[in-house]
Amino acid sequence: MEIIELRPRLHLFRFFVGQAYLWRDGDELTLVDAGTPGSGPAVVEAIEGLGLRARDVRRVVLTHFHSDHAGGAGEVAALTGATVLAHRLDAPMVRGEVPGPAPVLEDWEVPIFAEASKNVPKPTEQRVYAAEVQEVTDGDVLPFGGGAHVVGAPGHTRGSIGLHLPEHGVLFTGDAIASTPETGVLLGVFNQDAAQAVASFHRLAALDSDMACFGHGDPVRADASAVLRESAARYARA
């Protein structure tokens, strides 16, 4: 796992597939997403390698239920005592109560999805990622980062969320937005509802942010609002 300092209080944990973010408020830690199943011990090791205490992780906030983001949540919770949070529409999938619906793939996405699926459990598998989940919804404000606003961003999944920290100008987008070295910032792939996904991209891009942190790809470290809005303009509003 690669560990990248984005700011003194913000680190990126990059897994073989996907990534998570660690936010620090003094001695209190928040993890945004948790990697694939089996990632829990590596996350704890990374936290302690930064000179922090795993027991200070208060919460694991999931941007959506897919296994490359939620898979390690229960493990991290068990190892640290943290509370797992997810949107009310994705929480049943995180708890394994129902199987997660599959994405509606564009033709060009089919081979990419097939290749990606070799490395993580399929999103349609019914598997418990965290038995106990605190449910959140659009408009909630979570107690970290000076007030982290939950922003409903459906499309990738019904319960996908972003997290906006206005005090610090930081935006976590989950898989609603992504980036690649070749194309830069773009709409996230493997969506359940393409029209909703585009609308959510525009909603997130409209927020004032200096840094944007994606579920896949390098973050935008400066003037993120302008970068996201320029990219969103390529997609017709739903």
Side-chain angles (χ1 to χ4, degrees):
M1 181 174 66
E2 185 180 8
I3 303 170
I4 302 169
E5 180 178 303
L6 302 176
R7 292 185 176 181
R9 62 172 61 195
L10 176 61
H11 285 78
L12 183 157
F13 294 168
R14 179 166 286 158
F15 308 100
F16 182 71
V17 176
Q19 48 206 31
Y21 295 88
L22 182 72
W23 180 270
R24 180 173 59 83
D25 290 302
D27 292 334
E28 184 174 299
L29 305 175
T30 297
L31 190 68
V32 178
D33 289 330
T36 56
S39 297
V43 168
V44 167
E45 182 180 352
I47 290 170
E48 294 181 342
L50 293 170
L52 305 172
R53 299 181 302 186
R55 67 175 182 270
D56 289 334
V57 180
R58 297 289 188 267
R59 63 195 65 82
V60 180
V61 187
L62 301 176
T63 60
H64 60 292
F65 76 83
H66 287 163
S67 58
D68 55 331
H69 294 259
E75 299 162 3
V76 173
L79 291 167
T80 66
T83 299
V84 178
L85 299 91
H87 189 277
R88 63 179 184 82
L89 294 178
D90 273 22
M93 279 71 86
V94 176
R95 290 191 291 256
E97 296 169 352
V98 294
V104 179
L105 300 175
E106 303 286 345
D107 289 343
W108 62 269
E109 292 180 306
V110 172
I112 303 172
F113 183 76
E115 183 63 27
S117 296
K118 296 177 182 178
N119 300 309
V120 296
K122 293 182 177 63
T124 52
E125 285 186 358
Q126 188 167 342
R127 178 170 180 171
V128 178
Y129 298 130
E132 299 293 331
V133 180
Q134 179 179 323
E135 297 184 4
V136 300
T137 194
D138 181 47
D140 287 351
V141 180
L142 306 182
F144 73 94
H149 294 245
V150 176
V151 184
H156 187 65
T157 68
R158 290 182 63 208
S160 286
I161 61 171
L163 295 165
H164 185 220
L165 281 56
E167 183 176 311
H168 299 280
V170 174
L171 174 67
F172 301 96
T173 73
D175 282 0
I177 308 175
S179 72
T180 72
E182 298 77 19
T183 62
V185 174
L186 72 163
L187 180 71
V189 296
F190 310 153
N191 297 307
Q192 290 179 8
D193 187 311
Q196 279 191 335
V198 170
S200 292
F201 191 164
H202 283 276
R203 185 182 188 194
L204 293 171
L207 299 171
D208 290 331
S209 56
D210 186 55
M211 175 177 287
C213 300
F214 311 122
H216 299 270
D218 291 336
V220 176
R221 298 191 183 215
D223 203 16
S225 294
V227 175
L228 267 58
R229 289 166 190 166
E230 181 179 359
S231 179
R234 303 201 304 263
Y235 302 92
R237 286 183 180 273

